[in-house]
Amino acid sequence: MTASPLTESGFHSSSNPANLTDYTADETQPLNLIPKQEESTKHDLSLLRRITVVAVVATLAAFEGLCMSLPGPFFPAQAKDHGLSQSQIGIVTGSLEFSCLFASFIVGSLTTPKSTNFVSISGTFLCSFAIASFGLLNFMPASRLYFALCILARAINGLLLAEL
């Protein structure tokens, strides 16, 4: 004899909740918690999706490392051509790490499980624009504005890298 399904509180109910339609209660057998055959194909797709997500995140992490370290060998020579001193070059280089350090605490507290995808995608696209703007600074004339814009471009890059 089949009884009505149990609710979350453990009592029988006359109406069948949507989340308990696959489970039946029998007086002689325990609650049947074996999923239907259709759900096993969903598991295979979720495994493929998980592998894809891991591959995409690994690729983003590799590009993040490139964004942080690739200007290292090239920027000092370019900055010397624009009249920056060694200490100014160090300030520009360190502004990325400094802003990334403090932004990671803020971004981590603002990110919720539902908006992680949006934060990652927006951070990737905006980070690419910050890197491109840092590259375009090569066409600026030598001035204090060049130094300030270099710091600003690297600090914005660090803020956006914290989202990744």
Side-chain angles (χ1 to χ4, degrees):
M1 179 174 169
T2 305
S4 62
L6 297 175
T7 62
E8 291 181 14
S9 61
F11 297 106
H12 292 283
S13 72
S14 58
S15 65
N16 194 2
N19 60 351
L20 295 176
T21 56
D22 296 339
Y23 307 115
T24 58
D26 193 351
E27 292 177 356
T28 60
Q29 294 180 356
L31 189 64
N32 184 12
L33 297 176
I34 299 173
K36 290 183 177 180
Q37 189 66 22
E38 301 167 359
E39 295 179 11
S40 65
T41 57
K42 290 180 183 177
H43 179 68
D44 293 338
L45 292 176
S46 69
L47 179 63
L48 180 63
R49 185 174 178 181
R50 288 179 186 173
I51 291 172
T52 305
V53 168
V54 168
V56 168
V57 169
T59 305
L60 286 175
F63 282 120
E64 177 186 356
L66 285 174
C67 293
M68 292 173 67
S69 63
L70 203 58
F74 306 111
F75 180 69
Q78 177 186 348
K80 283 187 181 181
D81 291 342
H82 283 85
L84 295 183
S85 67
Q86 288 287 41
S87 60
Q88 289 174 329
I89 293 171
I91 290 171
V92 170
T93 306
S95 64
L96 179 126
E97 295 294 334
F98 187 73
S99 65
C100 191
L101 173 71
F102 290 108
S104 62
F105 295 114
I106 297 168
V107 171
S109 65
L110 294 177
T111 305
T112 62
K114 293 182 182 179
S115 68
T116 342
N117 193 16
F118 172 74
V119 168
S120 297
I121 291 172
S122 64
T124 303
F125 284 118
L126 293 174
C127 190
S128 64
F129 290 121
I131 293 166
S133 68
F134 184 71
L136 291 174
L137 288 175
N138 189 26
F139 301 110
M140 292 263 320
S143 65
R144 290 181 187 242
L145 182 62
Y146 174 77
F147 176 60
L149 288 176
C150 283
I151 291 174
L152 183 67
R154 290 295 278 180
I156 290 173
N157 194 6
L159 291 172
L160 296 171
L161 283 175
E163 291 182 15
L164 300 177

